[in-house]
Amino acid sequence: MPQIIYHNGTMQIDHVSIEALASRYPTPFYCYSASAIRQQYLAFADAFADLPALICYAIKANSNQAILTLLAKLGAGADVVSEGELRRALAAGIPADKIVFSGVAKTATEIRFALSKNILCFNVESITELRQISALASANQQTAKVSMRINPDVDAGTHAKISTGKRENKFGIPFDYALQAYQLAATLPGITIVGIDMHIGSQISKVSAFDEAMQRIMELIKQLQELGINLEHVDVGGGLGVTYTDDDPSELTLLAEYSRVIHKYATALNCRIIFEPGRFIIANAGILVTEVIQVKPVQDKTFVMIDAAMNDLIRPTLYEAWHKISPAKQAAPDALSQPVDIVGPVCESGDYMAQNRPLTTVVVGDLLVIHSVGAYSAVASNTYNSRRLIAEVLVDGERDQLIRPSPSYRQLIELDSVPDWL
Ligand SMILES: *Cc1c(COP(=O)(O)O)cnc(C)c1O
């Protein structure tokens, strides 16, 4: 990202130096570039500007209210997977008629809440869920707009923990049951069929997987038309990959290839196309700023211990994710690197940010920047080891502002209550 680069020997995000930020906000903290988020969103929107497209940002990637507000102002809709996310989207000013409700097992309470808000549609994940939505809607003389999430059984070629479109994954209605689901939907009370939906996985860098899935979806749409079921929209899901390592394809190249695949089918579709990008919009717009608290050489390696840990950023240990890590102060061009393990203070061997990573010499007090953590990072943090959730900061040009403070220890402890009979 051009927004996150060295300038006169120190790293900056937009026009603010990391050192200046760290003097105002205690480390560790997340920091996002508003201009980088805008740039990604607009690049995505531009790629489909000639189509009747709606971009429903998958807010589980990063659901901070400031970020949702920024995207709402650009015209984004939302893809939500829980009542909490639906409430967040509405609170940020995203209109209900731009919100789709995914989520693999929605509860009755969640369905009722979404019905009361009259959202754009429910992405239905199973035939039993379809029946449940019908019962809840008709009991209240309401109509639920539905779209079936079809599991097209394609291999997205991504990490096992983020693959969702294969037969063995829990997501969606199996391809072979799809027609049956639509035929049932057409007869159920309280249901209007509006679309079809898929989402085959995340961090997909092989666009042929989207192509394969689209072919299958097109087959179904044709069969539905023969049955007299016409759709208002096709939701192609999210999943487009981003650049984490220098070996990954460039994001804009991927976007162009992806756009070509979608355009191949767009004319035949002749209806609205919904996209649910998450990671693509935000992953590379975020960094985590952390301070070195110990450097511990042992027999055959060195541990660089930092004040951020797996509870703040779980991706390296959960997905074996590789995140670039660089010193905030630029190393001399001739500085030597040696491989180190960059680890946090949590009592788990899985608490690492990088293993065997070449790094120039660092000393206690140095600031490090962990890159590409805008998506699936702050949202997945927790308070394990009674560590406070860390702050989030938004930078835009020369401005910066706290968009989520770190709760105090007192607030952390006061979440619990002790029975008076103890
Ligand atoms: C997670 C998710 C997305 C977003 O995926 P990205 O890889 O972040 O683009 C979109 N749709 C659904 C249903 C999801 O679960």
PDB file of all heavy atoms in Angstrom, residues 80-105:
ATOM      1  N   VAL A  80     -23.866  -9.363   6.584  1.00  0.00           N
ATOM      2  CA  VAL A  80     -23.728  -9.599   8.022  1.00  0.00           C
ATOM      3  C   VAL A  80     -23.967 -11.072   8.335  1.00  0.00           C
ATOM      4  O   VAL A  80     -24.665 -11.764   7.589  1.00  0.00           O
ATOM      5  CB  VAL A  80     -24.718  -8.724   8.841  1.00  0.00           C
ATOM      6  CG1 VAL A  80     -24.500  -7.245   8.534  1.00  0.00           C
ATOM      7  CG2 VAL A  80     -26.174  -9.105   8.586  1.00  0.00           C
ATOM      8  N   VAL A  81     -23.375 -11.548   9.421  1.00  0.00           N
ATOM      9  CA  VAL A  81     -23.519 -12.964   9.776  1.00  0.00           C
ATOM     10  C   VAL A  81     -24.083 -13.166  11.182  1.00  0.00           C
ATOM     11  O   VAL A  81     -24.082 -14.280  11.695  1.00  0.00           O
ATOM     12  CB  VAL A  81     -22.172 -13.721   9.656  1.00  0.00           C
ATOM     13  CG1 VAL A  81     -21.693 -13.743   8.207  1.00  0.00           C
ATOM     14  CG2 VAL A  81     -21.108 -13.119  10.552  1.00  0.00           C
ATOM     15  N   SER A  82     -24.572 -12.077  11.796  1.00  0.00           N
ATOM     16  CA  SER A  82     -25.157 -12.211  13.132  1.00  0.00           C
ATOM     17  C   SER A  82     -26.015 -10.988  13.405  1.00  0.00           C
ATOM     18  O   SER A  82     -25.909  -9.974  12.708  1.00  0.00           O
ATOM     19  CB  SER A  82     -24.059 -12.299  14.204  1.00  0.00           C
ATOM     20  OG  SER A  82     -23.402 -11.043  14.308  1.00  0.00           O
ATOM     21  N   GLU A  83     -26.830 -11.081  14.454  1.00  0.00           N
ATOM     22  CA  GLU A  83     -27.647  -9.921  14.838  1.00  0.00           C
ATOM     23  C   GLU A  83     -26.743  -8.761  15.244  1.00  0.00           C
ATOM     24  O   GLU A  83     -27.032  -7.600  14.938  1.00  0.00           O
ATOM     25  CB  GLU A  83     -28.583 -10.302  15.992  1.00  0.00           C
ATOM     26  CG  GLU A  83     -29.420  -9.121  16.449  1.00  0.00           C
ATOM     27  CD  GLU A  83     -30.448  -9.485  17.513  1.00  0.00           C
ATOM     28  OE1 GLU A  83     -30.819 -10.671  17.626  1.00  0.00           O
ATOM     29  OE2 GLU A  83     -30.882  -8.562  18.225  1.00  0.00           O
ATOM     30  N   GLY A  84     -25.652  -9.069  15.927  1.00  0.00           N
ATOM     31  CA  GLY A  84     -24.728  -8.012  16.348  1.00  0.00           C
ATOM     32  C   GLY A  84     -24.195  -7.247  15.144  1.00  0.00           C
ATOM     33  O   GLY A  84     -24.130  -6.013  15.150  1.00  0.00           O
ATOM     34  N   GLU A  85     -23.819  -7.984  14.099  1.00  0.00           N
ATOM     35  CA  GLU A  85     -23.320  -7.306  12.900  1.00  0.00           C
ATOM     36  C   GLU A  85     -24.420  -6.513  12.209  1.00  0.00           C
ATOM     37  O   GLU A  85     -24.168  -5.429  11.678  1.00  0.00           O
ATOM     38  CB  GLU A  85     -22.702  -8.324  11.937  1.00  0.00           C
ATOM     39  CG  GLU A  85     -21.361  -8.843  12.423  1.00  0.00           C
ATOM     40  CD  GLU A  85     -20.579  -9.592  11.348  1.00  0.00           C
ATOM     41  OE1 GLU A  85     -21.125  -9.855  10.248  1.00  0.00           O
ATOM     42  OE2 GLU A  85     -19.415  -9.916  11.614  1.00  0.00           O
ATOM     43  N   LEU A  86     -25.633  -7.050  12.219  1.00  0.00           N
ATOM     44  CA  LEU A  86     -26.748  -6.313  11.599  1.00  0.00           C
ATOM     45  C   LEU A  86     -26.972  -5.007  12.346  1.00  0.00           C
ATOM     46  O   LEU A  86     -27.137  -3.939  11.752  1.00  0.00           O
ATOM     47  CB  LEU A  86     -28.015  -7.193  11.606  1.00  0.00           C
ATOM     48  CG  LEU A  86     -29.312  -6.574  11.089  1.00  0.00           C
ATOM     49  CD1 LEU A  86     -29.128  -5.896   9.741  1.00  0.00           C
ATOM     50  CD2 LEU A  86     -30.399  -7.634  10.990  1.00  0.00           C
ATOM     51  N   ARG A  87     -26.925  -5.065  13.670  1.00  0.00           N
ATOM     52  CA  ARG A  87     -27.089  -3.855  14.477  1.00  0.00           C
ATOM     53  C   ARG A  87     -25.958  -2.868  14.194  1.00  0.00           C
ATOM     54  O   ARG A  87     -26.177  -1.662  14.112  1.00  0.00           O
ATOM     55  CB  ARG A  87     -27.132  -4.209  15.966  1.00  0.00           C
ATOM     56  CG  ARG A  87     -28.444  -4.863  16.374  1.00  0.00           C
ATOM     57  CD  ARG A  87     -28.428  -5.257  17.848  1.00  0.00           C
ATOM     58  NE  ARG A  87     -29.635  -5.930  18.244  1.00  0.00           N
ATOM     59  CZ  ARG A  87     -30.733  -5.314  18.710  1.00  0.00           C
ATOM     60  NH1 ARG A  87     -30.742  -4.012  18.857  1.00  0.00           N
ATOM     61  NH2 ARG A  87     -31.802  -6.017  19.031  1.00  0.00           N
ATOM     62  N   ARG A  88     -24.755  -3.370  14.051  1.00  0.00           N
ATOM     63  CA  ARG A  88     -23.615  -2.485  13.735  1.00  0.00           C
ATOM     64  C   ARG A  88     -23.822  -1.795  12.389  1.00  0.00           C
ATOM     65  O   ARG A  88     -23.592  -0.591  12.257  1.00  0.00           O
ATOM     66  CB  ARG A  88     -22.313  -3.289  13.678  1.00  0.00           C
ATOM     67  CG  ARG A  88     -21.709  -3.579  15.032  1.00  0.00           C
ATOM     68  CD  ARG A  88     -20.302  -4.167  14.866  1.00  0.00           C
ATOM     69  NE  ARG A  88     -19.661  -4.298  16.159  1.00  0.00           N
ATOM     70  CZ  ARG A  88     -18.997  -3.312  16.780  1.00  0.00           C
ATOM     71  NH1 ARG A  88     -18.866  -2.134  16.203  1.00  0.00           N
ATOM     72  NH2 ARG A  88     -18.466  -3.506  17.967  1.00  0.00           N
ATOM     73  N   ALA A  89     -24.234  -2.556  11.379  1.00  0.00           N
ATOM     74  CA  ALA A  89     -24.408  -1.989  10.039  1.00  0.00           C
ATOM     75  C   ALA A  89     -25.476  -0.889  10.066  1.00  0.00           C
ATOM     76  O   ALA A  89     -25.270   0.202   9.521  1.00  0.00           O
ATOM     77  CB  ALA A  89     -24.792  -3.088   9.054  1.00  0.00           C
ATOM     78  N   LEU A  90     -26.599  -1.168  10.732  1.00  0.00           N
ATOM     79  CA  LEU A  90     -27.676  -0.175  10.792  1.00  0.00           C
ATOM     80  C   LEU A  90     -27.212   1.061  11.568  1.00  0.00           C
ATOM     81  O   LEU A  90     -27.468   2.194  11.166  1.00  0.00           O
ATOM     82  CB  LEU A  90     -28.921  -0.793  11.457  1.00  0.00           C
ATOM     83  CG  LEU A  90     -29.618  -1.900  10.647  1.00  0.00           C
ATOM     84  CD1 LEU A  90     -30.645  -2.637  11.516  1.00  0.00           C
ATOM     85  CD2 LEU A  90     -30.295  -1.339   9.395  1.00  0.00           C
ATOM     86  N   ALA A  91     -26.478   0.837  12.659  1.00  0.00           N
ATOM     87  CA  ALA A  91     -25.998   1.961  13.479  1.00  0.00           C
ATOM     88  C   ALA A  91     -25.039   2.850  12.701  1.00  0.00           C
ATOM     89  O   ALA A  91     -24.924   4.042  12.975  1.00  0.00           O
ATOM     90  CB  ALA A  91     -25.328   1.437  14.753  1.00  0.00           C
ATOM     91  N   ALA A  92     -24.341   2.273  11.725  1.00  0.00           N
ATOM     92  CA  ALA A  92     -23.392   3.062  10.933  1.00  0.00           C
ATOM     93  C   ALA A  92     -24.082   3.744   9.752  1.00  0.00           C
ATOM     94  O   ALA A  92     -23.427   4.390   8.942  1.00  0.00           O
ATOM     95  CB  ALA A  92     -22.259   2.167  10.433  1.00  0.00           C
ATOM     96  N   GLY A  93     -25.391   3.574   9.642  1.00  0.00           N
ATOM     97  CA  GLY A  93     -26.122   4.267   8.576  1.00  0.00           C
ATOM     98  C   GLY A  93     -26.186   3.496   7.267  1.00  0.00           C
ATOM     99  O   GLY A  93     -26.496   4.070   6.229  1.00  0.00           O
ATOM    100  N   ILE A  94     -25.902   2.200   7.299  1.00  0.00           N
ATOM    101  CA  ILE A  94     -26.084   1.401   6.085  1.00  0.00           C
ATOM    102  C   ILE A  94     -27.570   1.052   5.984  1.00  0.00           C
ATOM    103  O   ILE A  94     -28.134   0.475   6.915  1.00  0.00           O
ATOM    104  CB  ILE A  94     -25.201   0.125   6.114  1.00  0.00           C
ATOM    105  CG1 ILE A  94     -23.713   0.532   6.170  1.00  0.00           C
ATOM    106  CG2 ILE A  94     -25.484  -0.762   4.893  1.00  0.00           C
ATOM    107  CD1 ILE A  94     -22.735  -0.624   6.297  1.00  0.00           C
ATOM    108  N   PRO A  95     -28.227   1.446   4.884  1.00  0.00           N
ATOM    109  CA  PRO A  95     -29.671   1.215   4.801  1.00  0.00           C
ATOM    110  C   PRO A  95     -30.015  -0.272   4.787  1.00  0.00           C
ATOM    111  O   PRO A  95     -29.286  -1.084   4.206  1.00  0.00           O
ATOM    112  CB  PRO A  95     -30.082   1.870   3.470  1.00  0.00           C
ATOM    113  CG  PRO A  95     -28.863   2.458   2.877  1.00  0.00           C
ATOM    114  CD  PRO A  95     -27.670   2.081   3.685  1.00  0.00           C
ATOM    115  N   ALA A  96     -31.139  -0.616   5.430  1.00  0.00           N
ATOM    116  CA  ALA A  96     -31.542  -2.027   5.525  1.00  0.00           C
ATOM    117  C   ALA A  96     -31.672  -2.665   4.147  1.00  0.00           C
ATOM    118  O   ALA A  96     -31.389  -3.855   3.979  1.00  0.00           O
ATOM    119  CB  ALA A  96     -32.857  -2.127   6.289  1.00  0.00           C
ATOM    120  N   ASP A  97     -32.071  -1.876   3.152  1.00  0.00           N
ATOM    121  CA  ASP A  97     -32.267  -2.478   1.823  1.00  0.00           C
ATOM    122  C   ASP A  97     -30.953  -2.695   1.075  1.00  0.00           C
ATOM    123  O   ASP A  97     -30.950  -3.063  -0.093  1.00  0.00           O
ATOM    124  CB  ASP A  97     -33.279  -1.678   0.995  1.00  0.00           C
ATOM    125  CG  ASP A  97     -32.786  -0.281   0.651  1.00  0.00           C
ATOM    126  OD1 ASP A  97     -31.647   0.067   1.011  1.00  0.00           O
ATOM    127  OD2 ASP A  97     -33.561   0.480   0.034  1.00  0.00           O
ATOM    128  N   LYS A  98     -29.842  -2.462   1.775  1.00  0.00           N
ATOM    129  CA  LYS A  98     -28.536  -2.827   1.201  1.00  0.00           C
ATOM    130  C   LYS A  98     -27.839  -3.875   2.071  1.00  0.00           C
ATOM    131  O   LYS A  98     -26.624  -4.043   1.992  1.00  0.00           O
ATOM    132  CB  LYS A  98     -27.629  -1.593   1.134  1.00  0.00           C
ATOM    133  CG  LYS A  98     -27.966  -0.611   0.018  1.00  0.00           C
ATOM    134  CD  LYS A  98     -26.879   0.447  -0.019  1.00  0.00           C
ATOM    135  CE  LYS A  98     -27.097   1.472  -1.102  1.00  0.00           C
ATOM    136  NZ  LYS A  98     -26.064   2.536  -1.005  1.00  0.00           N
ATOM    137  N   ILE A  99     -28.614  -4.542   2.940  1.00  0.00           N
ATOM    138  CA  ILE A  99     -27.991  -5.503   3.863  1.00  0.00           C
ATOM    139  C   ILE A  99     -28.462  -6.925   3.560  1.00  0.00           C
ATOM    140  O   ILE A  99     -29.674  -7.188   3.516  1.00  0.00           O
ATOM    141  CB  ILE A  99     -28.289  -5.155   5.334  1.00  0.00           C
ATOM    142  CG1 ILE A  99     -27.756  -3.744   5.653  1.00  0.00           C
ATOM    143  CG2 ILE A  99     -27.668  -6.184   6.266  1.00  0.00           C
ATOM    144  CD1 ILE A  99     -28.052  -3.274   7.068  1.00  0.00           C
ATOM    145  N   VAL A 100     -27.506  -7.824   3.343  1.00  0.00           N
ATOM    146  CA  VAL A 100     -27.835  -9.239   3.196  1.00  0.00           C
ATOM    147  C   VAL A 100     -27.370  -9.965   4.458  1.00  0.00           C
ATOM    148  O   VAL A 100     -26.345  -9.633   5.037  1.00  0.00           O
ATOM    149  CB  VAL A 100     -27.196  -9.875   1.927  1.00  0.00           C
ATOM    150  CG1 VAL A 100     -27.723  -9.200   0.668  1.00  0.00           C
ATOM    151  CG2 VAL A 100     -25.682  -9.835   1.954  1.00  0.00           C
ATOM    152  N   PHE A 101     -28.169 -10.943   4.869  1.00  0.00           N
ATOM    153  CA  PHE A 101     -27.887 -11.669   6.111  1.00  0.00           C
ATOM    154  C   PHE A 101     -27.412 -13.082   5.754  1.00  0.00           C
ATOM    155  O   PHE A 101     -28.210 -13.943   5.413  1.00  0.00           O
ATOM    156  CB  PHE A 101     -29.151 -11.715   6.974  1.00  0.00           C
ATOM    157  CG  PHE A 101     -28.951 -12.172   8.402  1.00  0.00           C
ATOM    158  CD1 PHE A 101     -30.002 -12.095   9.311  1.00  0.00           C
ATOM    159  CD2 PHE A 101     -27.725 -12.664   8.863  1.00  0.00           C
ATOM    160  CE1 PHE A 101     -29.848 -12.505  10.634  1.00  0.00           C
ATOM    161  CE2 PHE A 101     -27.551 -13.071  10.178  1.00  0.00           C
ATOM    162  CZ  PHE A 101     -28.618 -12.996  11.061  1.00  0.00           C
ATOM    163  N   SER A 102     -26.100 -13.277   5.806  1.00  0.00           N
ATOM    164  CA  SER A 102     -25.542 -14.617   5.660  1.00  0.00           C
ATOM    165  C   SER A 102     -25.467 -15.214   7.061  1.00  0.00           C
ATOM    166  O   SER A 102     -26.079 -14.703   7.979  1.00  0.00           O
ATOM    167  CB  SER A 102     -24.155 -14.541   5.018  1.00  0.00           C
ATOM    168  OG  SER A 102     -24.225 -13.911   3.762  1.00  0.00           O
ATOM    169  N   GLY A 103     -24.690 -16.229   7.267  1.00  0.00           N
ATOM    170  CA  GLY A 103     -24.622 -16.815   8.612  1.00  0.00           C
ATOM    171  C   GLY A 103     -25.164 -18.216   8.546  1.00  0.00           C
ATOM    172  O   GLY A 103     -26.307 -18.442   8.160  1.00  0.00           O
ATOM    173  N   VAL A 104     -24.337 -19.146   8.943  1.00  0.00           N
ATOM    174  CA  VAL A 104     -24.597 -20.550   8.647  1.00  0.00           C
ATOM    175  C   VAL A 104     -25.706 -21.159   9.491  1.00  0.00           C
ATOM    176  O   VAL A 104     -26.336 -22.121   9.084  1.00  0.00           O
ATOM    177  CB  VAL A 104     -23.271 -21.345   8.738  1.00  0.00           C
ATOM    178  CG1 VAL A 104     -22.762 -21.421  10.165  1.00  0.00           C
ATOM    179  CG2 VAL A 104     -23.408 -22.738   8.160  1.00  0.00           C
ATOM    180  N   ALA A 105     -25.988 -20.575  10.653  1.00  0.00           N
ATOM    181  CA  ALA A 105     -27.077 -21.097  11.494  1.00  0.00           C
ATOM    182  C   ALA A 105     -27.654 -19.925  12.269  1.00  0.00           C
ATOM    183  O   ALA A 105     -27.180 -19.587  13.340  1.00  0.00           O
ATOM    184  CB  ALA A 105     -26.572 -22.187  12.434  1.00  0.00           C
TER     185      ALA A 105
END
